[in-house]
Amino acid sequence: MTKVIADHEIVDIQIPAKGHLFITLKSPVEIPSVFPGNFAELHIAKSSEVFLRRPFGILDVDYENRLISFYVKIVGKGTRELARYKTGEKINIMYPLGNSFSIPKNGKEVLVVGGGSGIATFILLGKLLNQNNLKAIFLIGGRTKQDILLTEELGEYGQVLITTEDGSLGEKGFVTDHSIFRSGSFDFDKIYTCGPEPMMKAIGKIARKHQIDCEVSLENMMACGFGVCLCCVTETKEGNQRVCMEGPVFNLDFLKWQI
Ligand SMILES: Cc1cc2nc3c(=O)[nH]c(=O)nc-3n(C[C@H](O)[C@H](O)[C@H](O)COP(=O)(O)OP(=O)(O)OC[C@H]3O[C@@H](n4cnc5c(N)ncnc54)[C@H](O)[C@@H]3O)c2cc1C
Ligand code: FES
């Protein structure tokens, strides 16, 4: 797969709600094909304090205008620095990295479940599902309504269901508390999930119970992002595998998760 490592100019940077950031950058070269689940490593170099690149799922790509965008949750040093960038400034990005979600053959309907920044790759996934004539239900959760973003955009590709822990939007509780899981006809050709690990494990448990194929996208901490440092490994049925190379998307049954 062709990779880009280049300085990209920021054409748009917005903080839609406290702690959340959308950033769009213009590539100096043609953007290679990007698949849902692929990620990029951003070199956040505003100060010398953030040394390692930080990984972020690719939110969307506009090939014609050579634009690539990201949805970032501000959690620490690197993401806080990223939020201080202005349009016109440049960031060095390396992408596309990692593997991508797969599409079920002869499937009709899938469930896509995400929490926090885990929803970042769901726009590209939604596009791919639509291209394959699959009906999608997106179930997204957050602590409060301020954490629920991208609903309009996801709504273009399927039905959007919401949970918030404080009940300020959608159903009250965690995503796994949503009434869809209590429906007598709960059945999907596949479940995709990305978000905090406890959430993905809980979704995995539901998938197993209903014997539904499930893909999870892991967000293990990374350093190099291209298979060398081994700091991102996860235990699988075929030994330790690198989340940045063999992942970030894994079939649930391939992982050695205790659920
Ligand atoms: C493949 C992949 C895709 C990702 N996609 C996105 C995305 O689209 N949007 C987004 O906002 N984030 C995404 N992340 C997580 C993102 O990389 C981290 O939040 C970011 O690197 C934190 O950098 P920081 O310097 O702000 O935090 P640090 O100062 O390094 O850490 C701050 C806090 O965040 C925790 N933290 C750091 N990295 C992670 C991580 N990977 N997972 C969970 N907790 C972490 C640390 O333990 C610490 O408590 C992704 C991670 C991976 C591996
Ligand atoms: S981040 Fe270095 S091997 Fe995966």
Side-chain angles (χ1 to χ4, degrees), residues 42-43 63 70 74 80 82 90-91 100-101 108 130-131 151 155 178 183 207-208 223 228 235 246 248 252 255 258:
L42 272 64
H43 185 215
Y63 293 101
F70 300 93
I74 301 166
R80 266 198 304 274
L82 190 58
K90 288 188 176 170
I91 298 184
S100 58
F101 293 108
K108 286 194 179 69
N130 274 207
Q131 282 159 14
T151 50
H178 195 277
S183 129
R208 283 234 173 107
V228 178
E235 257 194 302
E246 286 76 42
L252 174 71
L255 292 174
Q258 304 288 331

Side-chain angles (χ1 to χ4, degrees), residues 37-40 44 50 53-59 70-81 117-121 194 217-222 243-244 248:
N38 285 165
F39 67 97
I44 303 165
V50 182
R53 287 175 183 264
R54 298 294 197 263
F56 299 100
I58 299 170
L59 174 67
F70 300 93
Y71 162 42
V72 174
K73 239 184 130 183
I74 301 166
V75 295
K77 217 186 278 176
T79 46
R80 266 198 304 274
E81 272 203 31
S117 62
I119 64 169
T121 53
C194 185
S217 184
L218 302 186
E219 292 196 344
N220 288 19
M221 295 234 207
M222 291 184 181
V243 172
C244 67

Side-chain angles (χ1 to χ4, degrees), residues 41 221-232 242-245:
E41 285 263 42
M221 295 234 207
M222 291 184 181
C224 72
F226 49 84
V228 178
C229 71
L230 304 184
C231 83
C232 64
R242 298 160 301 180
V243 172
C244 67
M245 294 296 288

